[in-house]
Amino acid sequence: MFFNNRKKFNGQVVELLPQLGFSLDEAGVWKTANGLDIAWQQKYNHHEAALYVAYLVFAGMLKANEPRASDVIQRIRSASSEWVSQGVVREDLANLFSSKADEWITRYGL
């Protein structure tokens, strides 16, 4: 039962990634799996977990000076706002993730 729930959770998260501006292949399967392990332990729902993974991917793009980082953060923030308004993502969690991204942008530039 546990593994079926976890498999379903992972699949639901992966389905949301294209809305955030990238695919599982672009994010990296193993890096995404590591992020999902943390999200699962934190008891994030699949939308919150997708945001968590998206911000991790954005951080990697920013550090690598990838040109798509600007587009990705805009898509993440747009989806985050929509999901908060729909009640599927906790506002405090979305704000926490966004604040961390602001710190990264200040540190690495955009």
Side-chain angles (χ1 to χ4, degrees), residues 20-50:
L20 301 167
F22 57 91
S23 68
L24 177 61
D25 290 336
E26 292 170 309
V29 173
W30 292 112
K31 288 180 182 180
T32 301
N34 289 335
L36 289 175
D37 285 344
I38 294 167
W40 180 261
Q41 291 170 357
Q42 293 296 319
K43 302 199 183 323
Y44 294 161
N45 67 40
H46 62 280
H47 284 88
E48 292 167 342

Side-chain angles (χ1 to χ4, degrees), residues 18-94:
Q19 293 179 43
L20 301 167
F22 57 91
S23 68
L24 177 61
D25 290 336
E26 292 170 309
V29 173
W30 292 112
K31 288 180 182 180
T32 301
N34 289 335
L36 289 175
D37 285 344
I38 294 167
W40 180 261
Q41 291 170 357
Q42 293 296 319
K43 302 199 183 323
Y44 294 161
N45 67 40
H46 62 280
H47 284 88
E48 292 167 342
L51 277 182
Y52 180 72
V53 168
Y55 277 110
L56 293 176
V57 169
F58 168 70
M61 289 178 160
L62 199 58
K63 289 178 185 177
N65 202 24
E66 195 170 313
R68 288 188 42 229
S70 179
D71 177 54
V72 168
I73 192 61
Q74 289 176 9
R75 291 184 68 172
I76 291 169
R77 288 188 168 153
S78 175
S80 178
S81 177
E82 181 181 327
W83 294 344
V84 166
S85 71
Q86 293 172 351
V88 295
V89 169
R90 292 172 281 169
E91 186 173 11
D92 61 329
L93 190 61

